[in-house]
Amino acid sequence: MPRIIITEPGKSPQPYRLKVDRSETKIGRGSDNEILIEAGSASTHHCVMKRGNGGFILEDLGSTNGIK
């Protein structure tokens, strides 16, 4: 099962497993995201991980601070 590690300021890095049956996983502060980020620098709907050919694509959803 694929996983990513989210690092938030002042917190230990957290691994998240991506569900294999999902074509995308939403990330942000809003409670309707699959991965919640509490950092104030994250937007409500910050980004989305989309399954692509042989891997994943991280797409910014117009967040204020971007992705890296």
Side-chain angles (χ1 to χ4, degrees):
M1 184 176 293
R3 68 181 182 151
I4 61 171
I5 297 177
I6 304 285
T7 304
E8 294 184 58
K11 291 187 166 189
S12 298
Q14 294 295 312
Y16 292 92
R17 294 187 188 278
L18 301 174
K19 294 185 179 181
V20 222
D21 60 339
R22 289 185 186 250
S23 60
E24 63 180 42
T25 301
K26 296 175 189 168
I27 304 170
R29 283 187 303 143
S31 61
D32 58 339
N33 292 293
E34 284 84 26
I35 298 178
L36 296 176
I37 298 178
E38 295 176 3
S41 59
S43 296
T44 303
H45 299 107
H46 200 87
C47 60
V48 63
M49 295 246 346
K50 293 183 177 180
R51 190 175 293 277
N53 292 334
F56 293 87
I57 299 168
L58 183 62
E59 179 183 325
D60 191 308
L61 295 175
S63 66
T64 303
N65 294 314
I67 56 175
K68 56 181 175 176

